Each structure stands twice: as structure tokens, then as C-alpha cells.
Amino acid sequence: VGATGALATGGVYELEKTNSAISLGAAVYLTSTLKATASSSSATLCGHAVAAAAADDATVKVILNV
């Protein structure tokens, strides 16, 4: 309470992801452990992939949905 800070509501961000592939343009969801995934099961939509990421990639670039 009473603190100030920054809040991002858009733009492209590099997010840590699960060990599954995510294709260009795919909807990207955040899991309960805050990792990106293409699976909507028990996850929250956060944006769309602006670059493909292979299963063994550690991160994926995502444009946030606002």
C-alpha cells in the first residue's frame, strides 16, 4: 500500500517456458508455476508467440494480450 512501481500491459517479452514446442503465432498460456506453454489446460492466456520455440528452448518471445 502506498508503493509505486512499473506495470507492463503490452509489448514483447521473453518468457521462461515448459519443455514443449510453441509455434509462431500460437496462443501462449502461463502455468501455475509461471512458465509459458501452448497448452490451455489449467493455464491462463497471456499472449501469442512472435517467434517459434523448440521443445528444448528455455524461453519463448510473446506479445502480451491486453
Side-chain angles (χ1 to χ4, degrees), residues 11 14 29:
E14 195 165 357
Y29 301 84

Side-chain angles (χ1 to χ4, degrees), residues 1-63:
V1 176
T4 59
L7 174 66
T9 59
V12 175
Y13 292 86
E14 195 165 357
L15 304 178
E16 186 176 350
K17 60 180 265 318
T18 62
N19 61 350
S20 60
I22 300 176
S23 58
L24 171 65
V28 177
Y29 301 84
L30 282 181
T31 67
S32 60
T33 59
L34 300 180
K35 290 191 176 186
T37 182
S39 171
S40 62
S41 177
S42 300
T44 303
L45 180 66
C46 71
H48 289 82
V50 297
D56 60 348
D57 290 340
T59 61
V60 61
K61 290 184 180 178
V62 176
I63 188 165

